[in-house]
Amino acid sequence: MQHRFGFFELDEDARALRLRGTVQKLQPRVFDLLVYLVRNAGRVVPKDELMDALWPNLNVTEASLQRAVSLARAALSAGGLENAIRSYVRHGYRFAIDEPSLGVAVPEFDAKDSNRARALALAKAKDWRGAAMVFESLDADGQLCGADIDVWALAVECQGRPAAAIPVLTRALAAYVAEGRPNLAARAAVTIAKLELERSAPAAASGWLGRAEALLGGTEDPRTTAYLLWMKARQAIFQGRAAEALELSSRSHSAAEACGDPGLIALTLVYMGFYNISLGHIEKGESQQNHAAAIALSSNVDPIFGSLVYCNILWSCRTFPDWSRARQWSEGFDSWSEASYATIPGACDLHRAEILGAQRDLIGALAAIDLALPKLSEEEAWSIGDGYRVRGDIRAMIGDLDHARQDYAAAYAAGWDAEPGNAVLLAETGQVEVALAALDRALAGASWYHIQRRGILLAHKMRISAMGGLRDIAAEALNELQAESGRWTQPAVHALINEAHYLLAGDSDAVRFLVLARQLWTSAGIEYHAARVRLELARVHIEAGDTAAARTEIAAAERTAVRIGSRRLRMLAAEIQQKLISAPPSPWPHKDRPAVANVRE
């Protein structure tokens, strides 16, 4: 009799297990165990029944059975079916492959197995809430194995409840240990470490990583090794050790490629790109991230890995900042998230909020960040400070300056920094030195967040120094930017540099820097700042007596203000419009050139 499952063929008459036609070496009792389980596929076979069948008339312990099961799983792992033999604590073992495309004929389920199959089907259909409810009801009967509990934990996490997934994962870990599968227990420990790190509990995360390493020991398991090294790299970057993170992620990616798991390959590759960007290897890092996203899009990766891939890219785009690239990936990520999650994660709402704010819809951005903040308090407590910073920026662009300042204060209270938005508001009220001190504190940071944002922070420092006439400080910031010119190529950075040149210039061509800044903001697709510079240009044209040019700039800025929902821009446009009406045409002497408009960066 022959049985086919996956790429295997189990031939009872020839006593052979073949993988793609090649006979696999098996000890006789391991072969007999596999035959017995396959014949009873879909049924939990009690341990006593298995020991009686394999060792008739002999007294053996459960350790002998566990050893045979371990060897059978090792043989099946060569064809990717190491999970085909499921363990049920205090019950027995069950052979079943729950992926229909592998073509396993499973006998009729009893009532409990029918419910279990329903839970797995719901999870496969991404009905996470339904799957979690069925698993929870099955758990009362004690019929769940480690792999089942693992899927249950995934279903809970995909509902936007990562904290609630931790105790479920802890149970999965214990079940895997009881089943004699320490490598899978180690994977569960790494996932717990990930969730703890995202909850701002680095000590707990470190403890679970240590547990994962102890469980894995010297076991050869490229999947678990890749996952563990990936998490250790994340821990290193959170502590500001970018070079170490890159080295760990490179090893992680090699292990992922060895096991051929597309989800792990995409995950480890995107983080390699992230660390390369942090270290200034921009072109290489972006190429790695783009490749990783393409792998994730073209493969059936699980929602958590897919979310990590896209979130990683959007974090890089937002902090760098590279708004053009952010727009290219954000729409696809939004669609992917909606299809993969019962509840859109807070990090997704956070990305959407800042990208919308940078682009064209301040009201939509405010709604997105208001959705994100309550979720971030549970999902990713470490990033809630960035949520307050983003909301402060959005409110400042809308014109709600008092609430913007409150959000910046909340960002600081959460252990984050609120720059450059906080510094810009300070400078606009004449507190240039206080603003520069705030920027210097942010520039002194050593985390990945500060490293990636260094260019935009330096550009703001240059502009604010120019607002206060502090030429030496502005020149110092410019020198650092020029020393790594290949790293800071973003239009937003160069727009700010040109605004600073405009403020510092004393010749008749100073306005050309302002025109170039407007063009750069426009090319970056950042409508608020393009309109802000247009209004400064209108002011310059009024002073020069060029009323036609002033009207053109004011009209364009007003259209933008209405479209993106900025009452601050509308109010400033109205003020400049009044000057246009009342001011007589006259040449504008450069020595009396008005100060830059008090409009937020």
Side-chain angles (χ1 to χ4, degrees):
M1 184 176 181
Q2 293 181 342
H3 310 271
R4 290 183 175 83
F5 43 90
F7 298 109
F8 287 100
E9 179 184 89
L10 184 65
D11 188 335
E12 291 191 40
D13 296 332
R15 292 190 62 80
L17 175 68
R18 300 184 185 90
L19 173 60
R20 296 185 178 90
T22 301
V23 175
Q24 306 298 295
K25 292 183 179 180
L26 282 183
Q27 294 179 9
R29 278 205 173 88
V30 176
F31 181 86
D32 292 339
L33 168 68
L34 194 52
V35 168
Y36 200 94
L37 289 173
V38 170
R39 284 181 178 177
N40 291 274
R43 177 172 75 89
V44 177
V45 183
K47 294 177 182 178
D48 289 343
E49 180 181 336
L50 283 170
M51 288 191 288
D52 288 342
L54 298 175
W55 292 277
N57 304 317
L58 290 177
N59 289 323
V60 295
T61 65
E62 284 190 16
S64 299
L65 179 59
Q66 290 173 356
R67 171 67 175 165
V69 169
S70 178
L71 291 172
R73 283 175 175 151
L76 294 175
S77 68
L81 298 185
E82 62 269 26
N83 293 326
I85 301 177
R86 303 291 181 89
S87 301
Y88 293 81
V89 180
R90 297 186 303 277
H91 292 278
Y93 298 93
R94 170 178 175 269
F95 184 89
I97 302 171
D98 300 302
E99 176 55 63
S101 64
L102 293 177
V104 175
V106 179
E108 289 292 320
F109 289 107
D110 62 24
K112 291 176 181 176
D113 272 347
S114 178
N115 285 333
R116 179 183 171 280
R118 178 166 169 261
L120 294 170
L122 288 168
K124 188 174 181 181
K126 297 183 174 63
D127 182 351
W128 304 116
R129 189 170 288 106
M133 290 175 63
V134 177
F135 276 126
E136 191 170 349
S137 66
L138 286 170
D139 184 51
D141 298 326
Q143 291 295 307
L144 297 180
C145 64
D148 296 330
I149 301 172
D150 225 345
V151 178
W152 179 12
L154 175 66
V156 173
E157 188 176 356
C158 287
Q159 292 177 71
R161 299 166 55 212
I166 291 175
V168 183
L169 281 163
T170 304
R171 289 193 45 209
L173 187 155
Y176 282 137
V177 170
E179 294 165 10
R181 307 170 81 180
N183 59 322
L184 298 184
R187 285 187 216 173
V190 174
T191 302
I192 297 171
K194 173 186 78 74
L195 295 176
E196 292 288 10
L197 188 67
E198 290 167 354
R199 295 173 68 206
S200 294
S206 180
W208 283 108
L209 277 180
R211 176 68 170 140
E213 288 185 290
L215 285 165
L216 186 59
T219 304
E220 289 290 331
D221 182 349
R223 276 189 181 85
T224 304
T225 298
Y227 194 31
L228 175 60
L229 289 170
W230 166 80
M231 189 59 211
K232 291 181 73 172
R234 283 192 77 187
Q235 188 179 48
I237 197 69
F238 264 80
Q239 296 168 355
R241 305 195 308 272
E244 180 184 342
L246 180 59
E247 188 271 333
L248 286 166
S249 69
S250 179
R251 289 166 53 197
S252 172
H253 185 60
S254 296
E257 287 187 316
C259 73
D261 183 327
L264 268 176
I265 291 170
L267 182 66
T268 54
L269 183 60
V270 79
Y271 273 80
M272 280 180 66
F274 186 86
Y275 304 140
N276 269 313
I277 290 172
S278 296
L279 290 167
H281 312 143
I282 309 303
E283 186 175 350
K284 182 176 183 179
E286 289 183 351
S287 175
Q288 289 171 329
Q289 286 192 326
N290 293 339
H291 185 195
I295 293 171
L297 271 176
S298 59
S299 308
N300 189 27
V301 302
D302 78 54
I304 302 303
F305 277 14
S307 176
L308 286 166
V309 168
Y310 285 107
C311 274
N312 181 276
I313 292 173
L314 293 179
W315 268 112
S316 292
C317 292
R318 288 175 51 231
T319 57
F320 205 46
D322 187 345
W323 298 114
S324 174
R325 186 162 167 256
R327 286 194 301 276
Q328 292 176 44
W329 285 116
S330 62
E331 290 184 5
F333 181 42
D334 286 348
S335 300
W336 184 89
S337 293
E338 289 171 3
S340 300
Y341 285 89
T343 301
I344 303 296
C348 302
D349 289 325
L350 174 59
H351 298 320
R352 182 185 297 110
E354 189 159 31
I355 292 168
L356 283 172
Q359 288 179 279
R360 60 187 177 276
D361 183 2
L362 295 176
I363 306 306
L366 187 60
I369 195 63
D370 284 342
L371 283 173
L373 284 169
K375 298 177 187 177
L376 291 174
S377 64
E378 179 181 355
E379 297 170 17
E380 294 187 354
W382 66 270
S383 64
I384 195 167
D386 197 48
Y388 286 122
R389 178 193 67 80
V390 170
R391 190 167 69 179
D393 289 351
I394 293 166
R395 283 174 161 169
M397 287 187 282
I398 289 172
D400 187 356
L401 302 188
D402 288 339
H403 282 109
R405 292 186 180 96
Q406 290 176 18
D407 279 328
Y408 292 147
Y412 276 112
W416 209 253
D417 74 60
E419 310 312 332
N422 174 64
V424 172
L425 285 186
L426 288 168
E428 288 174 357
T429 57
Q431 302 177 73
V432 170
E433 291 186 359
V434 179
L436 291 174
L439 284 173
D440 283 339
R441 286 193 296 272
L443 285 163
S447 73
W448 63 267
Y449 181 73
H450 296 93
I451 293 169
Q452 289 197 1
R453 294 168 65 237
R454 190 167 187 83
I456 198 70
L457 292 173
L458 284 168
H460 275 283
K461 182 177 180 178
M462 182 183 176
R463 181 182 178 276
I464 289 173
S465 299
M467 289 172 68
L470 304 173
R471 291 179 174 274
D472 290 345
I473 297 176
E476 179 185 318
L478 178 61
N479 287 340
E480 182 174 340
L481 287 166
Q482 289 178 333
E484 294 188 278
S485 58
R487 184 175 184 178
W488 312 119
T489 59
Q490 302 76 28
V493 170
H494 287 271
L496 290 166
I497 291 172
N498 276 278
E499 287 191 56
H501 283 314
Y502 158 72
L503 291 166
L504 294 170
D507 56 43
S508 59
D509 291 332
V511 72
R512 66 189 172 89
F513 293 115
L514 206 55
V515 172
L516 183 54
R518 182 198 64 193
Q519 293 170 346
L520 286 164
W521 285 123
T522 301
S523 71
I526 306 180
E527 297 192 37
Y528 176 89
H529 292 307
R532 174 182 59 76
V533 174
R534 281 187 180 279
L535 291 174
E536 178 61 18
L537 275 168
R539 191 193 300 273
V540 171
H541 290 317
I542 291 170
E543 293 292 335
D546 190 347
T547 56
R551 285 193 184 93
T552 299
E553 297 292 357
I554 293 170
E558 285 178 328
R559 285 194 296 271
T560 297
V562 171
R563 184 169 62 251
I564 68 175
S566 173
R567 65 174 181 269
R568 191 176 190 195
L569 286 175
R570 293 203 308 272
M571 290 172 62
L572 184 60
E575 291 174 10
I576 297 175
Q577 183 71 39
Q578 282 300 115
K579 291 184 179 182
L580 176 64
I581 294 170
S582 59
S586 63
W588 168 47
H590 279 277
K591 65 180 180 179
D592 296 326
R593 173 161 47 83
V596 71
N598 278 347
V599 184
R600 187 192 168 281
E601 284 303 328

